[in-house]
Amino acid sequence: MTATESTEEVELQKLYTDFATEHLNPLWTQLGDLMPQQPNPKAVPHVWRWDVLYPLAQRAGDLVPVGRGGERRAIALANPGLGGAPYASPTLWAAIQYLGPKEVAPEHRHSQNAFRFVVEGEGVWTVVNGDPVAMRRGDFLLTPGWNFHGHHNETDQPMAWIDGLDIPFVHYTDTSFFEFGSEQVTDPATPRISRSERLWAHPGLRPLSGLDDLPNSPIAAYRWEHTDAALREQLLLEDEGQPATVEPGHAAVRYTNPTTGGDVMSTIRAEFHRLRAGAWTRPRREVGSSVWQVFEGEGEVVLDGSEQRVAKGDLFVVPSWAKWSLRSDDGFDLFRFSDQPIFERLNQSRVFVEEGEE
C-alpha cells in the first residue's frame, strides 16, 4: 500500500466514524441489504401442530386466569426467524385463544383489526359493540379496529379458536391505541344470529339504511353453511364442465365487504380453499405473507421445497416470496388470511405462478 493509499484509507475510516457520530449511514455500504434483487424476509416458513397447540392451551387454561391485566388467554405463533417476537410474520399476528367453562373475557377495544376463525366447538359468544355473535365451527368472525369486544362461554366445556390481527403492522407504524371497556360483556344474550347478520348477510342485497361505503365489513360473522355451500357448488359446476374453480379440483372463495366488494378489512384478506381428492396447486410466490389453518382433511404443503404433512387444526405461515403449493389426499379444506390489502394499496403486490405440469 502506498502512502497516498494509506492516507486515503485513514480518511475514509474517519469519514465513516463521523457518519456514525452524526447518526448517518451511507447507502453504498449496504445496498444489497436495503435493496435486494428479490424479497429476502427474516421470517421463515413454519408449521405449528394442533395436537401440540391445543394441549398447551389447555394447560394455560388451568394455570392462567382471564381478566384485567392479560385480558385474553391467547398464545401467539412466534415465527422462528423473527428473534422471539410474537409474530407469525412481520405484518400478521396469529394465536390460539382458549376460554374455559363459564368464563368471560372482559371488553376492550384497540386500533388493530382482528378476526376469529373456529376450527372446532361452539358455545361462546363474542360481543362486538353490544351485538352478541355466536361462534361455531367453520365460522369466520370480524372485530374491526376500535370496536369494543368481549367473549363469554355459556357452556361447561372449554372452547378454542384462532385469532388473527395486524398487530405487527400497527406496532411498526406506531399507530396503536387501546382502551378498556366493561368488565362483563355489555349484552349477555345468546341469539343464534347476530343483529349485523340480520341486517347485512343476505346474498346480493344491501339495506338502503346503509349506503355509505365502509372500510371494514359490517357483517360480524360469515357462517360455515354459506362457505361450505359456495365451495361445494364450485366443484359441482366443474364436474358439469363449467369454469367455476381457480385450478382443476381447487375451489376457493374470498370473504368480502358488502359495501365495497373488497376485502373484509383494510389490512387483512381472508379466504377459504377446498381441494378435492388428489388435487394440487401450482407452485407460486407472492409479495406479502399469509397464515393458513387446515379445517378438515389431510394433505401436504410444500414450503420453499420442504414438504410438510398437515392435518386438521395445523397452522403454517408462508413468508413473503416463499414458494408454496398444496396437495390433497382424500379432500382438503383450508382457511387462509393474508396482508395482501396493504401491498395492493401500496402498489407493491406481485405474484408469480409456475406454469406446466406438476
Side-chain angles (χ1 to χ4, degrees):
M1 179 182 294
T2 66
T4 300
E5 290 172 335
S6 176
T7 300
E8 288 180 350
E9 181 65 25
V10 169
E11 289 298 319
L12 183 61
Q13 291 304 316
K14 183 177 184 304
L15 176 64
Y16 289 150
T17 299
D18 291 344
F19 280 162
T21 300
E22 298 302 324
H23 305 287
L24 301 171
N25 224 320
L27 174 63
W28 58 85
T29 64
Q30 53 191 320
L31 181 62
D33 293 331
L34 292 178
M35 299 180 183
Q37 293 184 341
Q38 64 181 36
N40 185 26
K42 293 181 180 178
V44 297
H46 191 73
V47 177
W48 291 266
R49 305 293 179 183
W50 190 251
D51 60 5
V52 175
L53 289 175
Y54 190 77
L56 288 171
Q58 286 180 309
R59 289 167 58 188
D62 294 335
L63 298 170
V64 180
V66 169
R68 287 297 182 227
E71 291 291 299
R72 301 288 188 262
R73 192 185 292 110
I75 307 160
L77 309 183
N79 190 294
L82 296 180
Y87 303 154
S89 82
T91 51
L92 299 175
W93 190 89
I96 176 174
Q97 184 170 166
Y98 186 91
L99 197 63
K102 305 297 184 182
E103 280 190 326
V104 175
E107 292 193 349
H108 62 215
R109 64 178 177 176
H110 41 67
S111 306
Q112 294 83 351
N113 290 310
F115 71 81
R116 336 260 160 228
F117 180 75
V118 185
V119 74
E120 60 186 11
E122 61 180 88
V124 169
W125 273 257
T126 182
V127 182
V128 182
N129 277 350
D131 188 6
V133 187
M135 299 176 61
R136 298 185 289 268
R137 172 170 160 77
D139 291 348
F140 171 61
L141 308 110
L142 297 187
T143 310
W146 215 236
N147 284 259
F148 278 112
H149 55 283
H151 321 303
H152 61 109
N153 187 345
E154 292 300 310
T155 74
D156 295 322
Q157 300 296 322
M159 184 172 164
W161 59 87
I162 66 164
D163 290 340
L165 292 89
D166 56 6
I167 289 175
F169 177 73
V170 172
H171 181 76
Y172 179 75
T173 54
D174 288 328
T175 54
S176 178
F177 293 87
F178 183 95
E179 183 177 326
F180 292 114
S182 171
E183 292 284 347
Q184 299 293 316
V185 293
T186 49
D187 188 338
T190 57
R192 180 165 180 79
I193 185 169
S194 64
R195 292 191 293 272
S196 75
E197 293 168 82
R198 290 168 60 191
L199 182 61
W200 283 98
H202 305 284
L205 302 173
R206 180 172 178 174
L208 291 183
S209 58
L211 290 180
D212 291 336
D213 288 350
L214 303 173
N216 301 304
S217 173
I219 301 176
Y222 293 74
R223 299 297 178 186
W224 170 242
E225 54 264 33
H226 304 305
T227 306
D228 183 39
L231 295 163
R232 184 174 62 248
E233 290 300 330
Q234 285 188 22
L235 292 175
L236 288 173
L237 285 166
E238 181 184 68
D239 290 338
E240 298 167 13
Q242 301 299 319
T245 54
V246 292
E247 296 173 289
H250 177 192
V253 294
R254 181 174 299 167
Y255 302 93
T256 61
N257 177 347
T259 74
T260 64
D263 289 294
V264 287
M265 291 187 288
S266 56
T267 55
I268 293 175
R269 173 167 295 166
E271 300 172 344
F272 202 101
H273 295 251
R274 172 171 293 171
L275 278 68
R276 66 166 84 240
W280 54 274
T281 69
R282 288 179 294 170
R284 67 178 58 211
R285 300 178 187 269
E286 300 161 313
V287 164
S289 53
S290 61
V291 176
W292 299 69
Q293 183 173 39
V294 180
F295 180 69
E296 195 63 77
E298 295 185 17
E300 289 80 38
V301 56
V302 183
L303 298 167
D304 270 346
S306 175
E307 185 174 298
Q308 300 276 353
R309 187 159 186 82
V310 288
K312 179 181 175 181
D314 292 348
L315 296 114
F316 58 91
V317 61
V318 182
S320 184
W321 214 241
K323 184 192 291 189
W324 65 270
S325 62
L326 304 170
R327 180 194 295 274
S328 168
D329 288 353
D330 296 327
F332 209 16
D333 278 7
L334 303 102
F335 170 79
R336 179 197 195 204
F337 73 100
S338 73
D339 51 18
Q340 278 300 303
I342 297 173
F343 297 104
E344 287 181 359
R345 285 176 173 81
L346 294 174
N347 198 31
Q348 295 290 331
S349 181
R350 183 176 294 189
V351 179
F352 174 74
V353 182
E354 292 187 3
E355 300 291 343
E357 297 295 326
E358 180 186 21

PDB file of all heavy atoms in Angstrom, residues 224-255:
ATOM      1  N   TRP A 224     -70.403 -20.869   8.359  1.00  0.00           N
ATOM      2  CA  TRP A 224     -69.849 -22.017   7.670  1.00  0.00           C
ATOM      3  C   TRP A 224     -70.802 -22.601   6.633  1.00  0.00           C
ATOM      4  O   TRP A 224     -70.361 -23.022   5.557  1.00  0.00           O
ATOM      5  CB  TRP A 224     -69.445 -23.094   8.672  1.00  0.00           C
ATOM      6  CG  TRP A 224     -69.093 -24.393   8.017  1.00  0.00           C
ATOM      7  CD1 TRP A 224     -69.710 -25.595   8.162  1.00  0.00           C
ATOM      8  CD2 TRP A 224     -68.026 -24.607   7.075  1.00  0.00           C
ATOM      9  NE1 TRP A 224     -69.101 -26.559   7.379  1.00  0.00           N
ATOM     10  CE2 TRP A 224     -68.064 -25.972   6.703  1.00  0.00           C
ATOM     11  CE3 TRP A 224     -67.049 -23.779   6.514  1.00  0.00           C
ATOM     12  CZ2 TRP A 224     -67.164 -26.525   5.791  1.00  0.00           C
ATOM     13  CZ3 TRP A 224     -66.157 -24.325   5.602  1.00  0.00           C
ATOM     14  CH2 TRP A 224     -66.223 -25.673   5.244  1.00  0.00           C
ATOM     15  N   GLU A 225     -72.095 -22.620   6.925  1.00  0.00           N
ATOM     16  CA  GLU A 225     -73.010 -23.237   5.970  1.00  0.00           C
ATOM     17  C   GLU A 225     -72.972 -22.541   4.608  1.00  0.00           C
ATOM     18  O   GLU A 225     -73.108 -23.188   3.563  1.00  0.00           O
ATOM     19  CB  GLU A 225     -74.443 -23.272   6.513  1.00  0.00           C
ATOM     20  CG  GLU A 225     -74.998 -21.955   6.968  1.00  0.00           C
ATOM     21  CD  GLU A 225     -74.849 -21.721   8.460  1.00  0.00           C
ATOM     22  OE1 GLU A 225     -73.830 -22.191   9.041  1.00  0.00           O
ATOM     23  OE2 GLU A 225     -75.735 -21.070   9.053  1.00  0.00           O
ATOM     24  N   HIS A 226     -72.750 -21.229   4.596  1.00  0.00           N
ATOM     25  CA  HIS A 226     -72.673 -20.494   3.331  1.00  0.00           C
ATOM     26  C   HIS A 226     -71.329 -20.744   2.639  1.00  0.00           C
ATOM     27  O   HIS A 226     -71.274 -20.909   1.409  1.00  0.00           O
ATOM     28  CB  HIS A 226     -72.872 -19.008   3.580  1.00  0.00           C
ATOM     29  CG  HIS A 226     -74.142 -18.687   4.290  1.00  0.00           C
ATOM     30  ND1 HIS A 226     -75.376 -19.084   3.838  1.00  0.00           N
ATOM     31  CD2 HIS A 226     -74.376 -18.012   5.450  1.00  0.00           C
ATOM     32  CE1 HIS A 226     -76.318 -18.668   4.666  1.00  0.00           C
ATOM     33  NE2 HIS A 226     -75.735 -18.017   5.658  1.00  0.00           N
ATOM     34  N   THR A 227     -70.242 -20.741   3.422  1.00  0.00           N
ATOM     35  CA  THR A 227     -68.922 -21.021   2.849  1.00  0.00           C
ATOM     36  C   THR A 227     -68.895 -22.408   2.237  1.00  0.00           C
ATOM     37  O   THR A 227     -68.437 -22.607   1.097  1.00  0.00           O
ATOM     38  CB  THR A 227     -67.840 -20.912   3.945  1.00  0.00           C
ATOM     39  OG1 THR A 227     -67.943 -19.642   4.598  1.00  0.00           O
ATOM     40  CG2 THR A 227     -66.449 -21.077   3.361  1.00  0.00           C
ATOM     41  N   ASP A 228     -69.378 -23.377   2.987  1.00  0.00           N
ATOM     42  CA  ASP A 228     -69.395 -24.768   2.527  1.00  0.00           C
ATOM     43  C   ASP A 228     -70.206 -24.911   1.245  1.00  0.00           C
ATOM     44  O   ASP A 228     -69.783 -25.575   0.291  1.00  0.00           O
ATOM     45  CB  ASP A 228     -69.968 -25.649   3.638  1.00  0.00           C
ATOM     46  CG  ASP A 228     -69.960 -27.121   3.287  1.00  0.00           C
ATOM     47  OD1 ASP A 228     -68.997 -27.596   2.684  1.00  0.00           O
ATOM     48  OD2 ASP A 228     -70.958 -27.801   3.606  1.00  0.00           O
ATOM     49  N   ALA A 229     -71.378 -24.284   1.209  1.00  0.00           N
ATOM     50  CA  ALA A 229     -72.240 -24.388   0.019  1.00  0.00           C
ATOM     51  C   ALA A 229     -71.570 -23.776  -1.204  1.00  0.00           C
ATOM     52  O   ALA A 229     -71.640 -24.335  -2.308  1.00  0.00           O
ATOM     53  CB  ALA A 229     -73.579 -23.710   0.295  1.00  0.00           C
ATOM     54  N   ALA A 230     -70.910 -22.627  -1.031  1.00  0.00           N
ATOM     55  CA  ALA A 230     -70.254 -21.969  -2.163  1.00  0.00           C
ATOM     56  C   ALA A 230     -69.136 -22.839  -2.730  1.00  0.00           C
ATOM     57  O   ALA A 230     -68.987 -22.976  -3.957  1.00  0.00           O
ATOM     58  CB  ALA A 230     -69.707 -20.611  -1.727  1.00  0.00           C
ATOM     59  N   LEU A 231     -68.351 -23.449  -1.870  1.00  0.00           N
ATOM     60  CA  LEU A 231     -67.259 -24.311  -2.329  1.00  0.00           C
ATOM     61  C   LEU A 231     -67.798 -25.576  -2.989  1.00  0.00           C
ATOM     62  O   LEU A 231     -67.292 -26.014  -4.034  1.00  0.00           O
ATOM     63  CB  LEU A 231     -66.365 -24.678  -1.139  1.00  0.00           C
ATOM     64  CG  LEU A 231     -65.620 -23.505  -0.493  1.00  0.00           C
ATOM     65  CD1 LEU A 231     -65.120 -23.895   0.887  1.00  0.00           C
ATOM     66  CD2 LEU A 231     -64.466 -23.054  -1.368  1.00  0.00           C
ATOM     67  N   ARG A 232     -68.821 -26.149  -2.391  1.00  0.00           N
ATOM     68  CA  ARG A 232     -69.415 -27.368  -2.953  1.00  0.00           C
ATOM     69  C   ARG A 232     -69.962 -27.122  -4.354  1.00  0.00           C
ATOM     70  O   ARG A 232     -69.751 -27.925  -5.268  1.00  0.00           O
ATOM     71  CB  ARG A 232     -70.514 -27.864  -2.020  1.00  0.00           C
ATOM     72  CG  ARG A 232     -71.152 -29.177  -2.450  1.00  0.00           C
ATOM     73  CD  ARG A 232     -72.127 -29.685  -1.419  1.00  0.00           C
ATOM     74  NE  ARG A 232     -73.242 -28.765  -1.193  1.00  0.00           N
ATOM     75  CZ  ARG A 232     -73.449 -28.076  -0.075  1.00  0.00           C
ATOM     76  NH1 ARG A 232     -72.592 -28.177   0.943  1.00  0.00           N
ATOM     77  NH2 ARG A 232     -74.485 -27.276   0.043  1.00  0.00           N
ATOM     78  N   GLU A 233     -70.613 -25.978  -4.534  1.00  0.00           N
ATOM     79  CA  GLU A 233     -71.198 -25.684  -5.847  1.00  0.00           C
ATOM     80  C   GLU A 233     -70.127 -25.422  -6.901  1.00  0.00           C
ATOM     81  O   GLU A 233     -70.298 -25.753  -8.078  1.00  0.00           O
ATOM     82  CB  GLU A 233     -72.151 -24.494  -5.737  1.00  0.00           C
ATOM     83  CG  GLU A 233     -73.427 -24.790  -4.963  1.00  0.00           C
ATOM     84  CD  GLU A 233     -74.262 -25.906  -5.585  1.00  0.00           C
ATOM     85  OE1 GLU A 233     -74.217 -26.076  -6.826  1.00  0.00           O
ATOM     86  OE2 GLU A 233     -74.952 -26.618  -4.833  1.00  0.00           O
ATOM     87  N   GLN A 234     -69.006 -24.822  -6.506  1.00  0.00           N
ATOM     88  CA  GLN A 234     -67.918 -24.628  -7.472  1.00  0.00           C
ATOM     89  C   GLN A 234     -67.439 -25.966  -8.030  1.00  0.00           C
ATOM     90  O   GLN A 234     -67.231 -26.118  -9.246  1.00  0.00           O
ATOM     91  CB  GLN A 234     -66.752 -23.882  -6.817  1.00  0.00           C
ATOM     92  CG  GLN A 234     -66.983 -22.399  -6.621  1.00  0.00           C
ATOM     93  CD  GLN A 234     -65.732 -21.680  -6.142  1.00  0.00           C
ATOM     94  OE1 GLN A 234     -64.609 -22.149  -6.332  1.00  0.00           O
ATOM     95  NE2 GLN A 234     -65.912 -20.527  -5.511  1.00  0.00           N
ATOM     96  N   LEU A 235     -67.267 -26.943  -7.150  1.00  0.00           N
ATOM     97  CA  LEU A 235     -66.789 -28.250  -7.610  1.00  0.00           C
ATOM     98  C   LEU A 235     -67.852 -28.982  -8.419  1.00  0.00           C
ATOM     99  O   LEU A 235     -67.534 -29.697  -9.387  1.00  0.00           O
ATOM    100  CB  LEU A 235     -66.331 -29.088  -6.419  1.00  0.00           C
ATOM    101  CG  LEU A 235     -65.071 -28.570  -5.712  1.00  0.00           C
ATOM    102  CD1 LEU A 235     -64.765 -29.394  -4.475  1.00  0.00           C
ATOM    103  CD2 LEU A 235     -63.878 -28.557  -6.650  1.00  0.00           C
ATOM    104  N   LEU A 236     -69.128 -28.816  -8.068  1.00  0.00           N
ATOM    105  CA  LEU A 236     -70.198 -29.425  -8.860  1.00  0.00           C
ATOM    106  C   LEU A 236     -70.260 -28.801 -10.247  1.00  0.00           C
ATOM    107  O   LEU A 236     -70.445 -29.497 -11.256  1.00  0.00           O
ATOM    108  CB  LEU A 236     -71.537 -29.268  -8.139  1.00  0.00           C
ATOM    109  CG  LEU A 236     -71.728 -30.142  -6.887  1.00  0.00           C
ATOM    110  CD1 LEU A 236     -73.021 -29.761  -6.165  1.00  0.00           C
ATOM    111  CD2 LEU A 236     -71.735 -31.623  -7.255  1.00  0.00           C
ATOM    112  N   LEU A 237     -70.097 -27.488 -10.325  1.00  0.00           N
ATOM    113  CA  LEU A 237     -70.070 -26.819 -11.628  1.00  0.00           C
ATOM    114  C   LEU A 237     -68.878 -27.287 -12.456  1.00  0.00           C
ATOM    115  O   LEU A 237     -68.980 -27.470 -13.670  1.00  0.00           O
ATOM    116  CB  LEU A 237     -70.034 -25.302 -11.441  1.00  0.00           C
ATOM    117  CG  LEU A 237     -71.354 -24.651 -11.012  1.00  0.00           C
ATOM    118  CD1 LEU A 237     -71.116 -23.230 -10.520  1.00  0.00           C
ATOM    119  CD2 LEU A 237     -72.347 -24.659 -12.169  1.00  0.00           C
ATOM    120  N   GLU A 238     -67.737 -27.481 -11.793  1.00  0.00           N
ATOM    121  CA  GLU A 238     -66.580 -28.008 -12.505  1.00  0.00           C
ATOM    122  C   GLU A 238     -66.888 -29.386 -13.096  1.00  0.00           C
ATOM    123  O   GLU A 238     -66.519 -29.689 -14.241  1.00  0.00           O
ATOM    124  CB  GLU A 238     -65.378 -28.095 -11.569  1.00  0.00           C
ATOM    125  CG  GLU A 238     -64.112 -28.613 -12.248  1.00  0.00           C
ATOM    126  CD  GLU A 238     -62.963 -28.782 -11.270  1.00  0.00           C
ATOM    127  OE1 GLU A 238     -63.052 -29.670 -10.393  1.00  0.00           O
ATOM    128  OE2 GLU A 238     -61.974 -28.028 -11.396  1.00  0.00           O
ATOM    129  N   ASP A 239     -67.583 -30.230 -12.310  1.00  0.00           N
ATOM    130  CA  ASP A 239     -67.976 -31.546 -12.804  1.00  0.00           C
ATOM    131  C   ASP A 239     -68.856 -31.445 -14.048  1.00  0.00           C
ATOM    132  O   ASP A 239     -68.839 -32.337 -14.914  1.00  0.00           O
ATOM    133  CB  ASP A 239     -68.724 -32.325 -11.717  1.00  0.00           C
ATOM    134  CG  ASP A 239     -67.817 -32.753 -10.571  1.00  0.00           C
ATOM    135  OD1 ASP A 239     -66.585 -32.833 -10.792  1.00  0.00           O
ATOM    136  OD2 ASP A 239     -68.329 -33.008  -9.465  1.00  0.00           O
ATOM    137  N   GLU A 240     -69.616 -30.351 -14.129  1.00  0.00           N
ATOM    138  CA  GLU A 240     -70.504 -30.151 -15.275  1.00  0.00           C
ATOM    139  C   GLU A 240     -69.806 -29.474 -16.448  1.00  0.00           C
ATOM    140  O   GLU A 240     -70.425 -29.148 -17.464  1.00  0.00           O
ATOM    141  CB  GLU A 240     -71.704 -29.301 -14.838  1.00  0.00           C
ATOM    142  CG  GLU A 240     -72.560 -29.960 -13.762  1.00  0.00           C
ATOM    143  CD  GLU A 240     -73.541 -28.993 -13.109  1.00  0.00           C
ATOM    144  OE1 GLU A 240     -73.723 -27.880 -13.654  1.00  0.00           O
ATOM    145  OE2 GLU A 240     -74.107 -29.323 -12.047  1.00  0.00           O
ATOM    146  N   GLY A 241     -68.510 -29.239 -16.291  1.00  0.00           N
ATOM    147  CA  GLY A 241     -67.751 -28.627 -17.372  1.00  0.00           C
ATOM    148  C   GLY A 241     -67.774 -27.121 -17.389  1.00  0.00           C
ATOM    149  O   GLY A 241     -67.366 -26.495 -18.388  1.00  0.00           O
ATOM    150  N   GLN A 242     -68.212 -26.495 -16.289  1.00  0.00           N
ATOM    151  CA  GLN A 242     -68.285 -25.038 -16.225  1.00  0.00           C
ATOM    152  C   GLN A 242     -67.012 -24.464 -15.587  1.00  0.00           C
ATOM    153  O   GLN A 242     -66.410 -25.092 -14.710  1.00  0.00           O
ATOM    154  CB  GLN A 242     -69.515 -24.602 -15.413  1.00  0.00           C
ATOM    155  CG  GLN A 242     -70.825 -25.107 -15.967  1.00  0.00           C
ATOM    156  CD  GLN A 242     -71.078 -24.604 -17.375  1.00  0.00           C
ATOM    157  OE1 GLN A 242     -70.810 -23.449 -17.690  1.00  0.00           O
ATOM    158  NE2 GLN A 242     -71.600 -25.477 -18.232  1.00  0.00           N
ATOM    159  N   PRO A 243     -66.601 -23.239 -15.965  1.00  0.00           N
ATOM    160  CA  PRO A 243     -65.374 -22.616 -15.433  1.00  0.00           C
ATOM    161  C   PRO A 243     -65.627 -21.974 -14.066  1.00  0.00           C
ATOM    162  O   PRO A 243     -65.795 -20.758 -13.956  1.00  0.00           O
ATOM    163  CB  PRO A 243     -65.037 -21.561 -16.490  1.00  0.00           C
ATOM    164  CG  PRO A 243     -66.371 -21.186 -17.071  1.00  0.00           C
ATOM    165  CD  PRO A 243     -67.216 -22.433 -17.052  1.00  0.00           C
ATOM    166  N   ALA A 244     -65.626 -22.781 -13.013  1.00  0.00           N
ATOM    167  CA  ALA A 244     -66.003 -22.282 -11.691  1.00  0.00           C
ATOM    168  C   ALA A 244     -64.864 -22.304 -10.687  1.00  0.00           C
ATOM    169  O   ALA A 244     -64.941 -21.635  -9.650  1.00  0.00           O
ATOM    170  CB  ALA A 244     -67.179 -23.104 -11.144  1.00  0.00           C
ATOM    171  N   THR A 245     -63.797 -23.066 -10.943  1.00  0.00           N
ATOM    172  CA  THR A 245     -62.714 -23.225  -9.977  1.00  0.00           C
ATOM    173  C   THR A 245     -61.470 -22.478 -10.434  1.00  0.00           C
ATOM    174  O   THR A 245     -61.302 -22.160 -11.611  1.00  0.00           O
ATOM    175  CB  THR A 245     -62.381 -24.716  -9.790  1.00  0.00           C
ATOM    176  OG1 THR A 245     -62.106 -25.302 -11.063  1.00  0.00           O
ATOM    177  CG2 THR A 245     -63.558 -25.455  -9.150  1.00  0.00           C
ATOM    178  N   VAL A 246     -60.569 -22.196  -9.493  1.00  0.00           N
ATOM    179  CA  VAL A 246     -59.354 -21.446  -9.835  1.00  0.00           C
ATOM    180  C   VAL A 246     -58.306 -22.332 -10.478  1.00  0.00           C
ATOM    181  O   VAL A 246     -57.457 -21.860 -11.242  1.00  0.00           O
ATOM    182  CB  VAL A 246     -58.773 -20.741  -8.590  1.00  0.00           C
ATOM    183  CG1 VAL A 246     -59.686 -19.629  -8.119  1.00  0.00           C
ATOM    184  CG2 VAL A 246     -58.524 -21.715  -7.452  1.00  0.00           C
ATOM    185  N   GLU A 247     -58.323 -23.608 -10.162  1.00  0.00           N
ATOM    186  CA  GLU A 247     -57.472 -24.623 -10.764  1.00  0.00           C
ATOM    187  C   GLU A 247     -58.266 -25.919 -10.759  1.00  0.00           C
ATOM    188  O   GLU A 247     -59.248 -26.037 -10.012  1.00  0.00           O
ATOM    189  CB  GLU A 247     -56.175 -24.818  -9.960  1.00  0.00           C
ATOM    190  CG  GLU A 247     -55.258 -23.618  -9.920  1.00  0.00           C
ATOM    191  CD  GLU A 247     -54.091 -23.841  -8.972  1.00  0.00           C
ATOM    192  OE1 GLU A 247     -54.316 -23.847  -7.739  1.00  0.00           O
ATOM    193  OE2 GLU A 247     -52.965 -24.008  -9.448  1.00  0.00           O
ATOM    194  N   PRO A 248     -57.892 -26.920 -11.545  1.00  0.00           N
ATOM    195  CA  PRO A 248     -58.637 -28.180 -11.529  1.00  0.00           C
ATOM    196  C   PRO A 248     -58.727 -28.765 -10.119  1.00  0.00           C
ATOM    197  O   PRO A 248     -57.710 -28.951  -9.439  1.00  0.00           O
ATOM    198  CB  PRO A 248     -57.811 -29.077 -12.453  1.00  0.00           C
ATOM    199  CG  PRO A 248     -57.134 -28.131 -13.392  1.00  0.00           C
ATOM    200  CD  PRO A 248     -56.821 -26.922 -12.566  1.00  0.00           C
ATOM    201  N   GLY A 249     -59.952 -28.985  -9.666  1.00  0.00           N
ATOM    202  CA  GLY A 249     -60.161 -29.557  -8.346  1.00  0.00           C
ATOM    203  C   GLY A 249     -59.923 -28.622  -7.189  1.00  0.00           C
ATOM    204  O   GLY A 249     -59.914 -29.047  -6.032  1.00  0.00           O
ATOM    205  N   HIS A 250     -59.746 -27.328  -7.469  1.00  0.00           N
ATOM    206  CA  HIS A 250     -59.414 -26.349  -6.425  1.00  0.00           C
ATOM    207  C   HIS A 250     -60.468 -25.243  -6.400  1.00  0.00           C
ATOM    208  O   HIS A 250     -60.472 -24.341  -7.236  1.00  0.00           O
ATOM    209  CB  HIS A 250     -58.024 -25.765  -6.709  1.00  0.00           C
ATOM    210  CG  HIS A 250     -57.599 -24.699  -5.738  1.00  0.00           C
ATOM    211  ND1 HIS A 250     -56.509 -23.890  -5.969  1.00  0.00           N
ATOM    212  CD2 HIS A 250     -58.103 -24.306  -4.545  1.00  0.00           C
ATOM    213  CE1 HIS A 250     -56.369 -23.051  -4.968  1.00  0.00           C
ATOM    214  NE2 HIS A 250     -57.326 -23.274  -4.094  1.00  0.00           N
ATOM    215  N   ALA A 251     -61.382 -25.348  -5.444  1.00  0.00           N
ATOM    216  CA  ALA A 251     -62.403 -24.328  -5.238  1.00  0.00           C
ATOM    217  C   ALA A 251     -61.910 -23.343  -4.181  1.00  0.00           C
ATOM    218  O   ALA A 251     -61.214 -23.732  -3.243  1.00  0.00           O
ATOM    219  CB  ALA A 251     -63.713 -24.966  -4.789  1.00  0.00           C
ATOM    220  N   ALA A 252     -62.281 -22.075  -4.343  1.00  0.00           N
ATOM    221  CA  ALA A 252     -61.824 -21.073  -3.381  1.00  0.00           C
ATOM    222  C   ALA A 252     -62.782 -19.895  -3.358  1.00  0.00           C
ATOM    223  O   ALA A 252     -63.365 -19.536  -4.380  1.00  0.00           O
ATOM    224  CB  ALA A 252     -60.412 -20.593  -3.728  1.00  0.00           C
ATOM    225  N   VAL A 253     -62.936 -19.310  -2.170  1.00  0.00           N
ATOM    226  CA  VAL A 253     -63.776 -18.122  -2.009  1.00  0.00           C
ATOM    227  C   VAL A 253     -63.021 -17.095  -1.186  1.00  0.00           C
ATOM    228  O   VAL A 253     -62.139 -17.427  -0.400  1.00  0.00           O
ATOM    229  CB  VAL A 253     -65.123 -18.439  -1.323  1.00  0.00           C
ATOM    230  CG1 VAL A 253     -65.987 -19.326  -2.195  1.00  0.00           C
ATOM    231  CG2 VAL A 253     -64.917 -19.067   0.052  1.00  0.00           C
ATOM    232  N   ARG A 254     -63.380 -15.830  -1.390  1.00  0.00           N
ATOM    233  CA  ARG A 254     -62.837 -14.729  -0.595  1.00  0.00           C
ATOM    234  C   ARG A 254     -63.978 -14.082   0.160  1.00  0.00           C
ATOM    235  O   ARG A 254     -65.028 -13.787  -0.400  1.00  0.00           O
ATOM    236  CB  ARG A 254     -62.146 -13.701  -1.488  1.00  0.00           C
ATOM    237  CG  ARG A 254     -61.527 -12.523  -0.725  1.00  0.00           C
ATOM    238  CD  ARG A 254     -60.730 -11.626  -1.655  1.00  0.00           C
ATOM    239  NE  ARG A 254     -59.622 -12.376  -2.267  1.00  0.00           N
ATOM    240  CZ  ARG A 254     -58.916 -11.943  -3.293  1.00  0.00           C
ATOM    241  NH1 ARG A 254     -59.179 -10.763  -3.841  1.00  0.00           N
ATOM    242  NH2 ARG A 254     -57.930 -12.678  -3.796  1.00  0.00           N
ATOM    243  N   TYR A 255     -63.775 -13.875   1.449  1.00  0.00           N
ATOM    244  CA  TYR A 255     -64.760 -13.154   2.252  1.00  0.00           C
ATOM    245  C   TYR A 255     -64.682 -11.675   1.881  1.00  0.00           C
ATOM    246  O   TYR A 255     -63.586 -11.107   1.798  1.00  0.00           O
ATOM    247  CB  TYR A 255     -64.464 -13.333   3.741  1.00  0.00           C
ATOM    248  CG  TYR A 255     -64.447 -14.780   4.206  1.00  0.00           C
ATOM    249  CD1 TYR A 255     -63.262 -15.507   4.241  1.00  0.00           C
ATOM    250  CD2 TYR A 255     -65.616 -15.411   4.623  1.00  0.00           C
ATOM    251  CE1 TYR A 255     -63.240 -16.830   4.681  1.00  0.00           C
ATOM    252  CE2 TYR A 255     -65.598 -16.731   5.064  1.00  0.00           C
ATOM    253  CZ  TYR A 255     -64.404 -17.437   5.095  1.00  0.00           C
ATOM    254  OH  TYR A 255     -64.389 -18.744   5.527  1.00  0.00           O
TER     255      TYR A 255
END
